Amino acid sequence: MKKQINLLLRWEMALVLFLIVEIIFFSMMNPQFLNVTNLIFSMNDYVYIGLAAIPMTFVIITGGIDVSVGSVIGLTSISIGVLWTNGMEVWLAVLIAVAISACAGAVNGGIIAYSNVQPLVVTLGTMFLFSGIALVISGGNSASGYEGISGFPDAFVQLANGLTFGLPNPLYFLIFFLLLFAVILSLTRYGRQVFLVGINMKAAVYSGIRAKFILIWAYVLAGVGGGISGVILTSYFSSARADLGAEAVLPVITAVVLGGTSITGGKGTVLGTGIASVVIGMMQYGLQMMSMTSQETSVVVGFILIIAVLLRLAKWNNIRSFVKFRSHAE
């Protein structure tokens, strides 16, 4: 009995139960929601959230935050378009664009590691910096319109729109990211040091951990996550735009916090972030099927973020002790 209670009290299991309730609720509101094919292919609309949120988990575990992720997505997208229209092979353009996103993350991490400025302030500044660079590049190539740069090769478009063994390709990217970053966080020395830096930076430094190195690489990983997310979105829409990902910040950070990562650092799991990404994506899909606008959907996601933070700050140990006490009493 105790094992079952502890399992139910695990945050990830609570998220799975919430996801089931969410699916039942939206199915009751609109019977078309429970179409399995629609549910699977709807993941194309929100898989980018998970791709950006999973590496972001590392940043928030260190006690930081990166609100420039949306700008990195746009910068990656327009970089692919501009490099490709200037004669570069599209896959080489993708590699260079992802490298640019890693450099953007390194800029964030470097400034944060070697200054006393808060991560929120630094990444707020770089958010405008990266966004501005993307707009300048876009304007210089006459691609500032709504459609941006289009006409990509079919092989690139199929990256996000194609199927493998009957399932959409982005789903495989999400599973690969989930496994890769779960292994890095849970089974490597670097992953353990990420937690130590988030729990107590000074203690980590006194223990001989290269805390600045850990911090910088956490932001580099977050930058790469934003870059891969930008690649998938560009392929999905078959269009490179500077404003792609402009609305990604809120759902990405919400996915990390809702997934159980402590906003103050030191705690978190990649699995929780992955499940929370699906929860948020399903919610956006369900709300859109109820004819809600993207602005109204953002209100709901913002509300979820507040609830998630409050729940994470709740004294769950006291609740566990109360449940154990009742179990012994029975």
Side-chain angles (χ1 to χ4, degrees):
M1 185 63 182
K2 288 181 182 176
K3 288 183 179 178
Q4 286 85 345
I5 292 172
N6 287 331
L7 183 63
L8 285 173
L9 287 176
R10 280 188 63 87
W11 190 259
E12 290 84 357
M13 182 54 68
L15 283 175
V16 171
L17 292 175
F18 182 80
L19 179 61
I20 294 171
V21 172
E22 186 181 59
I23 291 173
I24 294 172
F25 172 76
F26 285 122
S27 301
M28 292 171 64
M29 299 303 294
N30 187 338
Q32 292 297 322
F33 181 84
L34 204 53
N35 185 310
V36 176
T37 305
N38 287 346
L39 282 178
I40 292 175
F41 284 89
S42 70
M43 295 193 75
N44 283 341
D45 292 335
Y46 60 80
V47 75
Y48 74 95
I49 296 174
L51 293 174
I54 288 171
M56 179 75 80
T57 306
F58 287 64
V59 167
I60 297 186
I61 288 176
T62 64
I65 195 167
D66 184 358
V67 296
S68 68
V69 61
S71 300
V72 172
I73 291 174
L75 181 60
T76 304
S77 177
I78 198 64
S79 296
I80 294 171
V82 170
L83 290 171
W84 177 69
T85 52
N86 281 279
M88 186 175 288
E89 208 276 331
V90 68
W91 297 115
L92 181 58
V94 167
L95 288 177
I96 293 176
V98 172
I100 291 172
S101 68
C103 292
V107 169
N108 282 333
I111 296 174
I112 292 166
Y114 289 97
S115 72
N116 291 322
V117 183
Q118 290 295 316
L120 177 62
V121 178
V122 172
T123 56
L124 195 59
T126 54
M127 179 181 76
F128 288 105
L129 174 66
F130 301 148
S131 178
I133 293 173
L135 287 171
V136 169
I137 294 173
S138 177
N141 284 268
S142 304
S144 56
Y146 177 75
E147 293 184 354
I149 298 171
S150 56
F152 287 103
D154 188 58
F156 177 69
V157 175
Q158 289 303 312
L159 182 70
N161 293 285
L163 301 176
T164 303
F165 302 117
L167 295 174
N169 291 337
L171 181 60
Y172 293 99
F173 281 95
L174 182 63
I175 294 172
F176 174 73
F177 251 50
L178 197 63
L179 294 176
L180 175 66
F181 284 96
V183 168
I184 294 175
L185 187 62
S186 304
L187 301 179
T188 67
R189 183 180 180 185
Y190 173 76
R192 291 191 292 274
Q193 291 178 340
V194 167
F195 282 105
L196 291 174
V197 168
I199 293 170
N200 192 320
M201 172 75 84
K202 290 183 179 178
V205 172
Y206 288 134
S207 301
I209 293 174
R210 293 185 297 168
K212 292 179 180 177
F213 173 84
I214 301 297
L215 270 182
I216 291 172
W217 271 103
Y219 283 90
V220 169
L221 292 177
V224 171
I228 299 294
S229 184
V231 172
I232 293 299
L233 275 178
T234 305
S235 170
Y236 182 55
F237 292 115
S238 187
S239 174
R241 286 164 38 195
D243 64 343
L244 213 59
E247 298 179 356
V249 179
L250 179 60
V252 167
I253 292 176
T254 302
V256 181
V257 177
L258 183 64
T261 302
S262 171
I263 198 72
T264 55
K267 294 180 181 176
T269 65
V270 168
L271 177 61
T273 301
I275 298 172
S277 301
V278 177
V279 168
I280 292 173
M282 284 287 180
M283 179 159 292
Q284 289 183 335
Y285 178 62
L287 293 174
Q288 286 167 5
M289 290 193 76
M290 291 171 63
S291 304
M292 289 185 73
T293 65
S294 59
Q295 291 81 6
E296 292 168 337
T297 303
S298 296
V299 173
V300 176
V301 174
F303 180 73
I304 292 173
L305 176 60
I306 294 170
I307 296 297
V309 171
L310 292 176
L311 287 176
R312 294 305 296 169
L313 293 176
K315 296 180 179 178
W316 289 99
N317 287 333
N318 293 345
I319 298 174
R320 284 194 178 93
S321 300
F322 175 75
V323 172
K324 287 180 181 177
F325 173 77
R326 291 295 302 270
S327 178
H328 282 300
E330 292 173 0

